[in-house]
Structure formats: C-alpha cells, structure tokens
Amino acid sequence: MDILQGKELVNKSGNTILANHALKDKTVIAFYFSAHWCPPCRQFTPLLAKAYAASRTKGQGGNVEVIFVSSDRTESDLQSYMKESHGDWLAIPFDDPVAQTLSAKFGVRGIPALKIVGIDGSEISADGREEVMSLGPAAFAQWEKLAPACIDVSTVKLLNDNPESVRKEAVDILVKLLSNVVRDPNNIKYRQVKLSNKKIEENLLPATGAFEILFSVGFEEDDDKLILPLAVSISKVEKFLDAIQSLQS
C-alpha cells in the first residue's frame, strides 16, 4: 500500500522493520485503530489476537496482516498495550504522522475500528471489528478470499528469449527504471521513459519482452516517451521489480 511505502513498522519488542519487507507476501491489510485507555478496545483486542493466531495458514487468512494504529498517549503505553494483549503483528511507530494520515483516509471517528483493505489500497471491509466478533478466525479467511487478484508478472519471462548480453542489459535498465519509481514514487521524472534516449533506444527496446513488461507495469505511450500514471500502485511496480531482479541472480 502506497501510504506505507518506505515506512518503518515496530514490533512488541520495539524493533523496527520496513513495511515493504513485512508485507511482501501479504494480500490484505487490517488496520487496527485502538488504544489502551479505551475500555472497548481492551475488550476487543484479545478477541482479535485470538482470531489472528488461529488464521495464520494460507487459505485460512494467513495472507492477511494486522497493523496496529495507536491512539495511545505515550510510547510506553503503546508498547505495554502490545505486550499485554496484542497478537504477533506490527504497529505504526508512536507519534508517526502516518497514523493520522490513515485515520483521515478511513474516516475513523471512534475506536476500536478495524479497516480492511487489499495490498493495493482497495477497500474490502469498513467494519472488520463486527466481522471478527461475528465470525472469529473465519473473518480473516473471508477477507483473504476478497483480496484483489494477484498481479501477473509472467511477461518478465520473455526476457529469457534474448541472448545473454541483451537480456542482461535490458534487466539492468528495467531494474534501474522501476527502482527509481519505488524509491521516489511521486517524482514525475522517474515515471517517464524517453524513447529517444540512446541507452533506452540501443539497449532496452531491442530486447524481446521489454515493451511488453513496461506496458504490463502500467506505462502508457505519449508521443516520444512512455509515462507511468500516478494511479498505478507502487505495490504493482514492486512486484515487477522483484520478478525482474530475480533474473539478475
């Protein structure tokens, strides 16, 4: 999900991990808005933790990850609350502005609240709390089934039809292009590929599969260049980047 791109999450021990890594194989995110000072939250959290623990198998909800968005008053309150009754999930760090961004995005007016979205940010359920209370672990399985379709990166295999030297040049250029987008997603400069660029013209475009990959990622033709619209999710770009990087090994 683009809001979490490049952001750090924190675990019960206070250690941080990049959201990109933590969510790498997940298809659904359950944002849990809660706080220790809130009595209804303290009642619901153990139920959520129990349902989470019972749903860690793929097909039963294992591809759903919970992220705690805290409204606690101090960092120590957040950590104590996680250690006391939360599941083995991660949290937005204390006082990180991303928490407010998420709250505004989902229109959270009261806690506890559980908002379920696909990894691409598309809404799956606005009332996950009620679904957990009604279905228990089955709620996680239901959300997993409602996840957006997996991104097809099979066009990347076309690069293997090239001679080794051509394939290597194309892979290196594609990795650089997509890495720039992932690193700085709102920079328009990185979302453009000038077809008249000598390196692009001589080392990328002649490669079988190069054009197909760029179009599959979401690039569109615009006169003498290709443009990646801002609406294309970074998670999609990351999937293609991972697939292309696997050819470098």
Side-chain angles (χ1 to χ4, degrees):
M1 187 175 175
D2 292 358
I3 290 177
L4 299 178
Q5 177 63 34
K7 301 296 182 180
E8 290 187 332
L9 302 175
V10 63
N11 64 17
K12 291 181 179 181
S13 301
N15 299 319
T16 58
I17 180 173
L18 278 175
N20 307 50
H21 298 160
L23 302 173
K24 186 176 178 65
D25 298 317
K26 303 301 180 180
T27 58
V28 178
I29 304 174
F31 287 105
Y32 180 40
F33 298 84
S34 181
H36 185 265
W37 52 260
C38 161
C41 297
R42 293 199 301 272
Q43 291 179 342
F44 176 67
T45 301
L47 299 178
L48 179 61
K50 184 177 180 180
Y52 176 86
S55 67
R56 294 303 82 200
T57 304
K58 185 177 180 180
Q60 300 300 314
N63 283 339
V64 181
E65 190 53 73
V66 173
I67 295 180
F68 173 37
V69 186
S70 171
S71 293
D72 286 298
R73 298 187 175 104
T74 67
E75 187 171 10
S76 62
D77 285 348
L78 183 156
Q79 286 295 324
S80 296
Y81 185 28
M82 289 188 75
K83 292 176 181 176
E84 175 186 302
S85 55
H86 281 237
D88 191 23
W89 53 64
L90 300 169
I92 303 295
F94 179 75
D95 218 21
D96 191 314
V98 170
Q100 188 59 43
T101 300
L102 289 167
S103 182
K105 175 180 174 61
F106 294 113
V108 175
R109 297 289 180 266
I111 55 175
L114 189 63
K115 306 295 183 178
I116 318 301
V117 298
I119 199 68
D120 62 352
S122 58
E123 182 178 295
I124 291 176
S125 174
D127 196 1
R129 176 193 178 193
E130 180 62 34
E131 290 167 3
V132 169
M133 293 177 70
S134 300
L135 303 173
F140 282 81
Q142 176 175 282
W143 301 331
E144 185 174 280
K145 291 176 183 176
L146 294 173
C150 292
I151 297 168
D152 181 7
V153 296
S154 60
T155 51
V156 171
K157 296 179 181 178
L158 293 174
L159 292 172
N160 289 323
D161 294 337
N162 295 284
E164 175 61 22
S165 60
V166 175
R167 183 186 66 82
K168 184 179 185 306
E169 287 280 0
V171 166
D172 289 346
I173 293 172
L174 287 167
V175 166
K176 183 176 181 180
L177 290 173
L178 300 188
S179 294
N180 285 339
V181 175
V182 170
R183 186 176 64 254
D184 194 356
N186 295 317
N187 192 326
I188 301 301
K189 177 179 71 174
Y190 293 143
R191 288 177 170 264
Q192 298 183 17
V193 178
K194 294 183 179 179
L195 301 179
S196 59
N197 178 283
K198 186 175 181 180
K199 194 166 186 178
I200 298 296
E201 191 174 25
E202 294 181 357
N203 300 324
L204 180 62
L205 300 186
T208 300
F211 251 118
E212 290 85 347
I213 291 169
L214 290 171
F215 287 136
S216 295
V217 171
F219 280 88
E220 299 175 353
E221 283 190 89
D222 183 18
D223 294 329
D224 63 341
K225 58 183 175 292
L226 300 180
I227 293 179
L228 184 66
L230 288 170
V232 175
S233 71
I234 295 303
S235 60
K236 182 178 184 181
V237 180
E238 287 180 319
K239 288 287 186 183
F240 274 91
L241 178 58
D242 287 345
I244 296 167
Q245 286 177 321
S246 70
L247 299 181
Q248 290 181 315
S249 56

